Amino acid sequence: MKICYLFPGQGTQKPGMLRELGDELQNAAEVFDTAEAVTGRDVRQLCLTASDAELRLTENTQLAVTAMNLAYFTILKKQGVVPDIVMGHSLGQFSALYAAGVTTMEDTFRIVQKRAELMSQTEQSGALCTVLGLLPQQVAEICRRIDPEGQKLTVALHNTEKQVVVGGTEELVAQAEAASKLAGALRTVPVKVSNAFHTPLMKDMEVRFTDFLQSIELHEPTCRIILNCKGDDADSVDDIREDIIRQCCHTVHWYDGLLRLLETPDLVPVEVGIGKTMAGMLRNTEPKLTTYLASNPRQRMQLVQLAR
């Protein structure tokens, strides 16, 4: 069997999520100790007492979600479960890099903190909205009609065959939402983030983020990693570095990555983080495949037994 770890990104956070670790918190203490030493933030309290509004702030969301992802990864690792393949959705890609040995834990939190800082400092504000029930080409055409230049409205993420996220200025995203409904979308759902990530609105952070990444050493991955913007396997460290830079302003091709993943025989997918967002996307793509949830104690124990 091939175990694949799927790490979620922004939007999966929720108040009090630290409590979900229960007695396992002691086995993940090093994650929070490292996060706090690197960032100077009380990440434990952030994951325990921050309100929903506080957790929506980019500089809080990215640290909290990454800490929870790495906490579950560490718990599983201590129980002898290691992945053969990793994927991380948007912000989750940085958790995947750590799980694949590409970055150290310290550097993972350095990268995430800098990324959040730069994203929160962008000059243009924006929003993301999920469109359900339309094909990506239909949503892309709606975006082109509203913004022919593609600088203030575009497809930010292609999550499943008919789940597409549009991003741009709040005004144009609202127009795209209305146009999608007229075109037959089943539903539209605003994403719980503070800006239009993975769109040209983030362009002013890309150069500074690229410069920062030059100070971070990336290592050869110890397992297979499927990248966000490429939507396919990483070929090299340079391939990985390019993808995490492109991720700032370009579409995340998650669906392409899932299709590539599903070519793997004897696949055992595991969502490593809070909730079941990744499991839902995978189920939508391949209904017969069961995804284990690391945040579910019973399923986590089943996975440990299976791995042994």
Side-chain angles (χ1 to χ4, degrees):
M1 66 181 182
K2 296 293 184 182
I3 296 175
C4 176
Y5 279 4
L6 302 165
F7 293 94
Q10 289 186 232
T12 57
Q13 71 278 0
K14 62 181 181 179
M17 55 189 170
L18 189 74
R19 295 188 183 92
E20 298 200 10
L21 293 176
D23 294 339
E24 293 284 8
L25 177 57
Q26 60 185 348
N27 291 322
E30 66 190 89
V31 173
F32 295 94
D33 291 344
T34 301
E36 290 166 4
V38 167
T39 67
R41 302 281 308 279
D42 191 339
V43 182
R44 282 181 177 83
Q45 283 302 113
L46 187 61
C47 295
L48 183 63
T49 63
S51 66
D52 184 62
E54 290 171 322
L55 285 173
R56 287 191 187 207
L57 297 174
T58 301
E59 56 269 33
N60 293 336
T61 314
Q62 298 200 25
L63 282 179
V65 169
T66 302
M68 293 302 298
N69 288 356
L70 298 196
Y72 283 115
F73 171 80
T74 300
I75 290 165
L76 285 170
K77 185 177 180 180
K78 288 185 175 180
Q79 292 176 316
V81 187
V82 292
D84 300 288
I85 313 163
V86 294
M87 289 179 69
H89 188 263
S90 185
L91 168 67
Q93 178 153 273
F94 298 95
S95 299
L97 294 180
Y98 170 69
V102 175
T103 54
T104 64
M105 188 181 293
E106 290 82 359
D107 281 344
T108 301
F109 282 112
R110 288 189 186 99
I111 294 170
V112 167
Q113 185 179 40
K114 176 58 73 172
R115 181 178 185 264
E117 174 190 314
L118 294 175
M119 284 182 164
S120 65
Q121 292 173 355
T122 52
E123 295 178 2
Q124 299 188 77
S125 63
L128 297 178
C129 181
T130 302
V131 177
L132 299 167
L134 296 181
L135 293 169
Q137 52 266 39
Q138 292 176 281
V139 180
E141 179 57 31
I142 288 169
C143 291
R144 279 193 294 269
R145 288 203 308 267
I146 296 171
D147 178 24
E149 299 297 322
Q151 295 302 302
K152 295 186 177 180
L153 181 71
T154 188
V155 171
L157 303 99
H158 179 197
N159 288 332
T160 68
E161 183 182 17
K162 292 186 178 181
Q163 184 190 120
V164 181
V165 179
V166 296
T169 64
E170 292 184 13
E171 179 185 358
L172 295 191
V173 168
Q175 291 181 34
E177 185 177 4
S180 297
K181 290 176 179 177
L182 287 175
L186 299 177
R187 194 157 56 103
T188 59
V189 184
V191 182
K192 294 192 295 181
V193 295
S194 59
N195 214 324
F197 307 131
H198 314 300
T199 75
L201 264 64
M202 310 305 294
K203 190 66 180 177
D204 61 344
M205 70 157 284
E206 188 176 54
V207 173
R208 288 181 290 168
F209 189 57
T210 301
D211 289 342
F212 171 77
L213 281 176
Q214 300 309 313
S215 68
I216 302 294
E217 183 180 4
L218 303 185
H219 307 275
E220 291 292 337
T222 57
C223 67
R224 183 180 164 199
I225 178 169
I226 300 177
L227 300 174
N228 276 196
C229 293
K230 187 178 182 180
D232 203 345
D233 290 68
D235 293 326
S236 65
V237 169
D238 289 340
D239 205 21
I240 294 169
R241 190 182 297 274
E242 180 183 352
D243 200 86
I244 59 181
I245 291 170
R246 281 182 56 79
Q247 199 204 63
C248 297
C249 306
H250 294 82
T251 305
V252 169
H253 294 284
W254 185 254
Y255 180 58
D256 289 346
L258 287 183
L259 294 180
R260 185 75 176 89
L261 174 67
L262 290 170
E263 296 172 2
T264 308
D266 302 316
L267 183 65
V268 179
V270 186
E271 180 157 358
V272 185
I274 288 291
K276 51 185 178 182
T277 304
M278 302 299 96
M281 291 180 189
L282 194 53
R283 184 173 61 249
N284 184 285
T285 306
E286 178 45 80
K288 295 179 181 179
L289 196 61
T290 298
T291 301
Y292 290 86
L293 302 178
S295 58
N296 181 303
R298 180 179 59 82
Q299 292 187 26
R300 191 166 65 239
M301 184 53 64
Q302 290 174 341
L303 175 66
V304 170
Q305 293 171 347
L306 179 67
R308 288 173 178 171

